[in-house]
Structures are given as structure tokens and as C-alpha cells.
């Protein structure tokens, strides 16, 4: 009788394994937690852009739903551009896509004509220089952000329109 009971228990244990869920729990795999506050720096890629006098800083909050928003500041050749960072993060691969937009208002003197005596007439106007571009980065499981950003500068004080390619380095703050 004991041998028959032992054989039946072996069969039941073998049969129950055939109906088990294979591959673990049915959760989406490979996801990286991307919600939170991140901060980072934009350092010029000297190999690509050759632009040495520039640096950028950003902070951005990735919510559980909706677009990420944050602040951006870029220092370039004595000019300070302030603006916004808007983007999104894909938790499946930890990929971050962002749009950068910053401005630098400055005064410029423009010759508008001459007076009756032939002397030039000048007026002072406020002109806004713009820095805009895109950021592509990746968030790793260690809450590190690495990638690159391309920023186009236009209407600069020195009348040089340029594009700077930055290396992006950041980390999760909270």
C-alpha cells in the first residue's frame, strides 16, 4: 500500500510541473525605472565640434505620465542662454528624447539712416539669440544618463551661427 501511495504522489508531482507557468511571472521585462528628477551636464565633444568655450546644465523631471519638463542653461563664448528642456523617456529601453530651447537677449546698435547734416543716426534694439536642438540619451539601471545633444546657435552677438555637439552626462537625483 505504501508503494502504491508513493507512486501516485510521484505522478501527481510530475503532472503538476507540466501545468506550471514557464518563464517566470507575466510582467514586462527589461524595463528601467525612468520616473524621477535628473540633472546633467552638456560637455562639448571636442572631436566632432571643436568648440571649446561652451558648457550646458540641465535638470528635468520625468513624471509617470506625460511629458518631462525642466530647466536648461548653456554658457557659450561669454553668452548665457536660459531656457527649457522638454522630453520623454521610454521605460522599455531607458531611452530619453529631449528638445532643448534657450535664449539670450542682448542690445545691439543699428544704423537707421542719416540726419540733415549727414551724421549717422543709430538706434538701440534688443535682439534675441537662440540656442535650440535635440538630446538623445539612455538611462541605465544605475540611474546614470549618457548620450549626445546637438545644439544650433543663431543670431549670436558675434554674428557667428554655429552648431555644437555635446556629450551628455547625468544622474538621477530623486
Amino acid at each position: 500500500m505504501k508503494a502504491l501511495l508513493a507512486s501516485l504522489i510521484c505522478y501527481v508531482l510530475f503532472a503538476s510541473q507540466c501545468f506550471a507557468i514557464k518563464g517566470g511571472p507575466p510582467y514586462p521585462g527589461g524595463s528601467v525605472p525612468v520616473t524621477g528628477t535628473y540633472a546633467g551636464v552638456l560637455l562639448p565633444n571636442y572631436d566632432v565640434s571643436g568648440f571649446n568655450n561652451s558648457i550646458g546644465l540641465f535638470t528635468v523631471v520625468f513624471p509617470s505620465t506625460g511629458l518631462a519638463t525642466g530647466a536648461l542653461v548653456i554658457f557659450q563664448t561669454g553668452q548665457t542662454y536660459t531656457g527649457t528642456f522638454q522630453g520623454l523617456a521610454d521605460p522599455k529601453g531607458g531611452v530619453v528624447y529631449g528638445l532643448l530651447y534657450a535664449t539670450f537677449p542682448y542690445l545691439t546698435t543699428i544704423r537707421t539712416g542719416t540726419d540733415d547734416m549727414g551724421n549717422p543716426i543709430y538706434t538701440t534694439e534688443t535682439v534675441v539669440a537662440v540656442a535650440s536642438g535635440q538630446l538623445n540619451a539612455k538611462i541605465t539601471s544605475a540611474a546614470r544618463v549618457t548620450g549626445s545633444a546637438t545644439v544650433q546657435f543663431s543670431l549670436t552677438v558675434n554674428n557667428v551661427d554655429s552648431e555644437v555637439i555635446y556629450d551628455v552626462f547625468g544622474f538621477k537625483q530623486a
Side-chain angles (χ1 to χ4, degrees), residues 4 14 17 21 28 30 33 39 47 56-57 62 66 76 90-91 93 101 118 122 124 132 143-144 151 163-164 172-173:
L4 180 63
F14 171 74
Q17 289 179 4
I21 297 175
D47 297 335
L57 301 167
F62 289 101
Q76 187 225 19
D90 180 10
Y101 183 81
Y122 295 99
T124 303
S132 62
R144 297 286 184 192
V151 178
E163 180 178 275
V164 180
K172 186 173 185 177
Q173 292 182 316

Side-chain angles (χ1 to χ4, degrees), residues 34 62 85 87-90 94-98 135-139 145:
V34 295
F62 289 101
F85 180 119
L88 58 94
D90 180 10
V95 179
V96 174
Y97 303 101
L135 179 137
N136 295 316
K138 185 168 179 76
I139 299 174
V145 179

